[in-house]
Amino acid sequence: MDLEFNKNEDAMRMAVSQVKQRHAQISQGGGKKAMDKAKEKGKMSPRERIAYLVDKDSIFTEIGSFAGYEMYTEYGGCPAAGTVAGLGYIHGRQCMIIANDNTVKAGAWFPITGKKNLRLQEIAMENHLPVVYIVDSAGVFLPMQDEIFPDKEHFGRIFRNNAQMSAMGITQIAAVMGSCVAGGAYLPIMSDETLMVEGNGSIFLAGPYLVKAAIGEDVDIQTLGGAKTHTEVSGIADYKFDTEQECLDQVRRIIDKMGEQPRAGFDRAKPAEPAKDPKEIYGLVTTDNSKPYDVVDVIERIVDNSIFDQFKEDYGKTIVCGYARIDGWAVGIVANQRKIVKSGKGEVQIGGVIYNDSADKAARFIQNCNQKKIPLVFLQDVTGFMVGSRSEHSGIIKDGAKLVNAVANSVVPKITIIIGNSYGAGNYAMCGKAYDPRFIYAWPNARIAVMGGEQAAKTLLQIQVAALKSKGQEIAPEKEKEMLKEITDRYTAQTSVYYAAARLWVDEIIDPAETRRVISEGLNAANHNPEIKEFKTGVFQV
């Protein structure tokens, strides 16, 4: 290993360590005081509830832990969007588990909470996964009600999805361990079975204060909508328990008795570890995404036996395509090549840029994978499509559109990992969030933006300077330099992977050494949905 490798490795390990430190802080939820208050009521934290529910020593793949990161600071923040969730195993069955965090503003829903919960339901629907809701929420965060209540992708869509999932035959179980108020009261009742913890669990459309204000009735929480009321009087809940542990034990028993469902039938052989050490990935890529590398080296540290069969290896070299297995699963891999290469025409091609021939190759490969029913894995490190007169005259827009068309209409599951840059239309062509990947993850060094920070800052500076000069103002070089730094700092902050994860542009920030595992878990989830549509591309310019 050379000096450059060691420097890269140290920098990536530090970046991974920072992710883990920030995740540990997020895991504190609303803080120690709020956690202690919940424990006094006999409540576990949402992470403790999930740990108790899932199989011991099993894998739990958290989703959206950085949602809301450094957002809503004027209200004290919203760690993990007030919801802890992910893919977990209950009696060996992969499930989507969604737990409200009552230590964050009593589990109230911020706008990002709604977005996260809808994404979690979307994953469950796309992959036909059973859902366990661990309910403990005060409902909509009223100071921001206009941003969470009435629109298509707001709070009410949750219950629409409850109904849709039920019609699809997807099992939903709600364990009510705290408040379940107003519109939120519909979620457990629209689930297949509802379990409640006596003394803490409650379900009602209006709490005691609102009831008093509306009709003048004095009533306490448990009489109005506690476990005893709903299991003995209203009949809307199915079970009541003295403790949260007993409640979760019953959830496990229900899941254990579920019948087998049809599978998609994606091919899986006996898993084999990569022949090359996955942790060597740390030394291959720079954390500032500044230097070229051979993406095949990265792929060989993810795939079984480090065997990767390249498709059209000597054509369209700035995108690498090929077949492999990941933890036994057959996959087609589409990856941006970052090393500088020569095309068949003898031209030097810049790494990370999509050229005509690369777009053409990738579109054809995606068609092949759909024909063979092979899931797709995209490894993004892309700065965009090649520009300039030569590319335009060669029809780069047509070839780019061909690739975007193939990605948009692909019917096999797509899993995207952003391992470096994700800029401009390259984000779209390599299956960014707008193109419906089943799962999308990012390494700590990932950057997502319409263009690179330096180019964007200089462009924005030119616009600002021109506007000031049009008003007759002269800009001194020192002032222009100061303006450039301010613009660059602001833009760079917005390209950060934490900024992206906070807004759920990616599902999670992952340790690069965990890439293989999260892809395998995603493919296992995707295999639960047997419904694969016919692959059609519509109008396709050749």
Side-chain angles (χ1 to χ4, degrees):
M1 299 299 176
D2 59 17
L3 180 61
E4 189 67 32
F5 182 97
N6 291 334
K7 284 171 63 178
N8 292 346
E9 183 178 37
D10 289 345
M12 187 63 81
R13 287 188 183 279
M14 285 183 64
V16 170
S17 176
Q18 184 181 60
V19 171
K20 291 178 178 177
Q21 289 170 15
R22 292 182 177 184
H23 185 273
Q25 183 61 39
I26 288 166
S27 298
Q28 297 301 309
K32 186 177 184 305
K33 186 176 179 181
M35 289 278 192
D36 290 344
K37 187 176 179 181
K39 280 183 169 54
E40 288 172 8
K41 298 178 180 178
K43 291 185 175 187
M44 293 186 280
S45 73
R47 294 177 190 278
E48 289 171 337
R49 289 165 173 169
I50 291 172
Y52 186 91
L53 178 63
V54 300
D55 298 342
K56 304 309 173 199
D57 301 319
S58 66
I59 294 168
F60 179 72
T61 304
E62 187 166 357
I63 294 172
S65 68
F66 284 90
Y69 183 73
E70 293 188 337
M71 295 172 66
Y72 314 117
T73 53
E74 68 273 32
Y75 297 112
C78 186
T83 304
V84 181
L87 304 177
Y89 291 88
I90 302 173
H91 282 291
R93 298 172 189 270
Q94 194 179 37
C95 300
M96 172 61 75
I97 303 169
I98 305 172
N100 300 130
D101 188 347
N102 79 302
T103 69
V104 178
K105 292 287 187 294
W109 286 51
F110 286 73
I112 195 64
T113 313
K115 186 174 182 179
K116 179 173 177 176
N117 278 263
L118 289 172
R119 172 61 179 153
L120 298 166
Q121 287 187 320
E122 178 184 49
I123 290 171
M125 293 168 80
E126 285 182 331
N127 299 291
H128 284 208
L129 296 175
V131 184
V132 177
Y133 303 100
I134 302 177
V135 187
D136 194 346
S137 173
V140 167
F141 184 61
L142 289 177
M144 303 188 76
Q145 64 85 27
D146 61 322
E147 296 181 47
I148 185 62
F149 168 62
D151 213 340
K152 182 178 179 180
E153 294 186 348
H154 285 177
F155 187 70
R157 186 93 172 169
I158 301 289
F159 319 125
R160 174 263 188 194
N161 288 349
N162 288 144
Q164 293 261 306
M165 281 191 278
S166 185
M168 292 167 67
I170 296 172
T171 297
Q172 299 173 86
I173 298 169
V176 181
M177 299 186 171
S179 298
C180 199
V181 186
Y186 286 105
L187 184 144
I189 311 311
M190 295 185 76
S191 299
D192 298 359
E193 297 188 62
T194 303
L195 302 80
M196 297 186 71
V197 176
E198 200 161 5
N200 283 334
S202 59
I203 304 171
F204 37 65
L205 292 179
Y209 292 118
L210 184 52
V211 169
K212 175 67 174 176
I215 63 173
E217 180 185 0
D218 287 306
V219 61
D220 63 81
I221 288 175
Q222 290 303 310
T223 303
L224 183 63
K228 189 176 179 70
T229 293
H230 287 314
T231 55
E232 297 180 16
V233 181
S234 73
I236 66 171
D238 306 302
Y239 312 86
K240 70 173 185 289
F241 303 92
D242 293 329
T243 68
E244 293 188 355
Q245 289 84 351
E246 291 172 329
C247 181
L248 294 172
D249 288 340
Q250 179 62 26
V251 172
R252 287 183 54 81
R253 287 194 290 270
I254 293 169
I255 296 290
D256 183 42
K257 295 175 178 63
M258 287 174 54
E260 282 295 324
Q261 299 293 323
R263 295 288 193 268
F266 300 121
D267 187 70
R268 192 179 194 188
K270 184 178 179 181
E273 292 297 316
K276 299 181 179 180
D277 186 355
K279 290 198 173 178
E280 289 178 356
I281 288 176
Y282 292 156
L284 298 174
V285 182
T286 58
T287 53
D288 62 1
N289 307 335
S290 62
K291 296 190 178 169
Y293 60 90
D294 190 345
V295 76
V296 175
D297 290 336
V298 174
I299 292 169
E300 288 175 344
R301 285 155 179 81
I302 294 172
V303 302
D304 292 14
N305 295 311
S306 299
I307 295 173
F308 178 55
D309 298 321
Q310 282 206 53
F311 173 80
K312 291 185 183 290
E313 182 175 356
D314 299 318
Y315 178 74
K317 292 184 179 181
T318 63
I319 292 184
V320 170
C321 301
Y323 302 103
R325 290 188 183 276
I326 295 178
D327 198 30
W329 295 102
V331 296
I333 296 175
V334 182
N336 300 111
Q337 177 59 282
R338 280 299 303 271
K339 74 175 183 179
I340 297 171
V341 297
K342 284 187 178 180
S343 73
K345 300 175 184 177
E347 301 166 335
V348 174
Q349 296 187 334
I350 302 166
V353 177
I354 302 175
Y355 290 76
N356 299 69
D357 51 0
S358 301
D360 176 69
K361 177 174 84 171
R364 175 62 181 271
F365 181 71
I366 290 165
Q367 287 179 307
N368 283 352
C369 288
N370 277 272
Q371 182 87 344
K372 298 181 180 75
K373 209 166 89 168
I374 299 174
L376 286 158
V377 173
F378 292 83
L379 301 180
Q380 275 199 24
D381 190 352
V382 59
T383 53
F385 285 86
M386 190 60 190
V387 297
S389 60
R390 179 180 292 181
S391 290
E392 296 295 356
H393 296 169
S394 299
I396 187 66
I397 297 173
K398 177 189 70 178
D399 291 322
K402 187 192 303 183
L403 175 53
V404 170
N405 196 322
V407 172
N409 287 296
S410 178
V411 296
V412 295
K414 299 168 292 192
I415 296 175
T416 300
I417 314 289
I418 302 175
I419 67 175
N421 297 319
S422 180
Y423 293 157
N427 171 281
Y428 305 153
M430 292 296 293
C431 197
K433 184 68 180 292
Y435 286 77
D436 296 327
R438 294 290 180 96
F439 299 91
I440 179 167
Y441 297 104
W443 288 4
N445 57 304
R447 295 212 165 258
I448 304 171
V450 73
M451 66 176 73
E454 186 179 347
Q455 303 97 306
K458 287 180 179 178
T459 302
L460 291 167
L461 178 66
Q462 288 172 17
I463 293 168
Q464 285 192 20
V465 169
L468 291 169
K469 285 183 177 179
S470 70
K471 296 176 182 177
Q473 298 181 31
E474 286 299 320
I475 309 299
E478 295 79 13
K479 178 64 176 175
E480 192 169 317
K481 188 176 180 180
E482 184 183 315
M483 289 171 64
L484 179 61
K485 183 182 184 306
E486 183 183 330
I487 294 168
T488 302
D489 289 348
R490 185 173 68 249
Y491 192 87
T492 300
Q494 292 178 356
T495 67
S496 158
V497 69
Y498 294 101
Y499 191 92
R503 289 152 183 82
L504 288 169
W505 300 347
V506 297
D507 292 323
E508 194 63 71
I509 305 171
I510 63 167
D511 180 340
E514 291 286 291
T515 302
R516 172 181 163 85
R517 181 187 69 77
V518 298
I519 291 172
S520 177
E521 287 299 304
L523 293 171
N524 188 27
N527 198 44
H528 284 76
N529 185 353
E531 299 169 9
I532 300 178
K533 298 176 183 176
E534 181 183 355
F535 179 58
K536 296 180 181 179
T537 58
V539 178
F540 202 102
Q541 292 197 41
V542 180

